[in-house]
Amino acid sequence: MAFSLYDASIPMMVRMLQNLSIILDKAAAHAAAQDIDPATMIEARLAPDMFNLARQVQSAADAAKACAARLSGETPPSHADTETTFDELKARIAKVIAYAESFTPEQINASENRSITIPTRGEPHVFKNGGDYLTQFAIPNFFFHVTTAYGLLRHQGVEIGKMTYLAGV
Amino acid sequence: MAFSLYDASIPMMVRMLQNLSIILDKAAAHAAAQDIDPATMIEARLAPDMFNLARQVQSAADAAKACAARLSGETPPSHADTETTFDELKARIAKVIAYAESFTPEQINASENRSITIPTRGEPHVFKNGGDYLTQFAIPNFFFHVTTAYGLLRHQGVEIGKMTYLAGV
């Protein structure tokens, strides 16, 4: 069966979001074991002008949601950035996993020969087809937030390794 | 034209390696402007038991090299991890970009229906086809190292933003 836009997007993002949820479980367990206020980790940043953990997780979820919506041509549900606990962040991820999994390969692959426009601070940017949008923006942007959330928690001392990121173990 | 394994791998990784090279330029400029020994940044880590910047860059280059090699069924060139300067790290990236760009879409897409085996600490892991290898391992692993290099340098105070990571600007 031919590899498709769907194969390169939805299953990979769902898998990584599941792993991110497990990473948050390990962060919560670390906070409990070390008697650290979970808010300390949820508000931690790698640099003063980077997003904190909550915004990194919200952005990873939004990146997957927007990718599914733009490739399928659907309007995504709106999710307010109100999460302040590990459980709330995991619920946000779960909502986006359910949304992403609601699409069929046919719905996603419909953008193979359709342009996709995204807003920017200046002029909207037009990708000539779904593949360009996915590989030049959606995938790099998604992984930026997942990996930054991971790195930020590693920097805070959470016991996670690359196998947690790659495979949820 | 149908989206393919090639589209989801080589052009995206080449683009991100080019952006990583620009990120290293900005790190070198920051070190020079602030009178920081470049070795301080090249040896910096986000956590004591994570790879330093040099190893993150070498690993990103290796991840792209291995991806091209495994999808095409070729044996990749060996690159020793000897780089200790920004210029040497950029040369390592350039070698891998040239290697990745030497493949045709046909060579890469040949793995669409072929299994791919990778070594692990335990039993080798078998992916049932090139698409599974790419989305379950090669892409997540590649972005892990690119984004960690970025985050590590942001943490060191280098003036880069997500647009440098996404688009090299």
Side-chain angles (χ1 to χ4, degrees), chain A residues 3-118:
Chain A
F3 186 75
S4 72
L5 270 184
Y6 179 84
D7 298 321
S9 56
I10 305 299
M12 178 169 73
M13 290 187 182
V14 165
R15 186 183 169 92
M16 294 306 300
L17 287 174
Q18 287 166 339
N19 297 351
L20 181 57
S21 195
I22 291 166
I23 288 168
L24 295 180
D25 280 336
K26 295 190 183 228
H30 176 82
Q34 305 288 324
D35 205 15
I36 296 167
D37 180 353
T40 311
M41 286 192 188
I42 287 167
E43 291 162 15
R45 302 165 194 269
L46 277 182
D49 57 344
M50 283 183 86
F51 285 170
N52 65 14
L53 178 68
R55 281 295 293 279
Q56 298 291 354
V57 173
Q58 289 157 353
S59 299
D62 276 355
K65 179 177 75 172
C67 178
R70 290 195 174 116
L71 289 177
S72 64
E74 296 291 319
T75 301
S78 177
H79 295 150
D81 291 334
T82 54
E83 295 84 1
T84 58
T85 67
F86 284 119
D87 280 346
E88 287 171 359
L89 289 170
K90 287 176 57 185
R92 172 78 168 260
I93 291 172
K95 274 192 289 194
V96 170
I97 289 174
Y99 177 70
E101 287 183 331
S102 72
F103 291 94
T104 63
E106 291 68 28
Q107 285 175 288
I108 297 295
N109 294 335
S111 63
E112 203 173 78
N113 297 303
R114 176 166 57 70
S115 70
I116 291 182
T117 302
I118 63 169

Side-chain angles (χ1 to χ4, degrees), chain B residues 11-31:
Chain B
M12 178 170 73
M13 290 187 183
V14 164
R15 186 185 170 91
M16 295 306 301
L17 287 174
Q18 288 165 338
N19 297 352
L20 181 58
S21 196
I22 291 166
I23 288 168
L24 295 181
D25 280 336
K26 295 192 183 225
H30 176 82

